[in-house]
Amino acid sequence: NPIIFLFFICYRALIFPLVIREGKPTPFFTFALALLFCVFNGYLQGRSLTTYASYPPGWLADSCFITGFLGWLIGMAINIHSDHILRNLRKPGETGYKIPRGGMFEYVSGANFFGEILEWFGFALACCTIESLAFALCTLFILGSRARQHHKWYLEKFEDYPKDRKIVIPFLY
């Protein structure tokens, strides 16, 4: 279970920053809060999984773990694919905003957020700890709020924005 968590952190901390194109600068305060949250959450998840969580023999073959792992894996694939779509909206030298299309963006405005939410609920199911559930819920509320803001902005900015596209949860919200 700690391997799943470390894999995501390595992707977000090492791979993602290397492949993202230049964008708007992040204010230092926002960066500092995000760093503080990640350090605290990383400690909480790591401590929970290595010190307090205990799993019976055969846990990795349990349907709870397998379902959670598959949810995490599918969520991560959606997240990475959605990030790829967002990074490649504009060709080099182009400016302006575009409507994301393809993948889960056909269903929701916040496809990358949906992928990350699915990842962490899958992680919570695979781990079955209160700490992992707390992180999944925090992710849902924080990213759900951001997705709502993005959705509203898209609707205001683009007259041709797909009206049937949901905010962050396909077919529901």
Side-chain angles (χ1 to χ4, degrees), residues 68-153:
F69 179 75
L70 288 174
W72 173 82
L73 194 62
I74 292 167
M76 182 137 202
I78 291 169
N79 193 355
I80 291 170
H81 184 251
S82 300
D83 284 345
H84 174 76
I85 289 171
L86 290 173
R87 272 194 318 275
N88 293 292
L89 280 176
R90 293 183 289 243
K91 292 179 176 74
E94 274 188 328
T95 59
Y97 294 101
K98 292 187 176 184
I99 298 171
R101 301 200 187 273
M104 291 304 294
F105 283 109
E106 296 303 315
Y107 304 97
V108 294
S109 296
N112 51 332
F113 300 137
F114 169 69
E116 194 159 337
I117 290 166
L118 183 57
E119 274 180 80
W120 295 119
F121 273 94
F123 178 77
L125 185 60
C127 296
C128 287
T129 65
I130 194 74
E131 294 84 0
S132 60
L133 178 60
F135 181 52
L137 289 170
C138 283
T139 301
L140 172 65
F141 294 125
I142 292 167
L143 295 185
S145 173
R146 290 183 63 197
R148 186 170 176 265
Q149 291 170 335
H150 286 208
H151 184 75
K152 183 179 176 187
W153 183 86

Side-chain angles (χ1 to χ4, degrees), residues 8-77:
F8 174 80
I9 297 303
C10 287
Y11 169 73
R12 268 294 174 224
L14 302 174
I15 298 168
F16 183 74
L18 294 175
V19 297
I20 195 166
R21 293 183 185 164
E22 287 185 39
K24 297 180 215 169
T26 302
F28 179 76
F29 184 70
T30 303
F31 167 78
L33 284 178
L35 179 65
L36 183 64
F37 175 81
C38 290
V39 168
F40 176 73
N41 183 57
Y43 171 78
L44 184 67
Q45 299 301 325
R47 180 85 175 179
S48 166
L49 292 171
T50 59
T51 305
Y52 301 109
S54 71
Y55 301 99
W59 175 251
L60 297 180
D62 187 271
S63 61
C64 212
F65 176 81
I66 292 170
T67 304
F69 179 75
L70 288 174
W72 173 82
L73 194 62
I74 292 167
M76 182 137 202

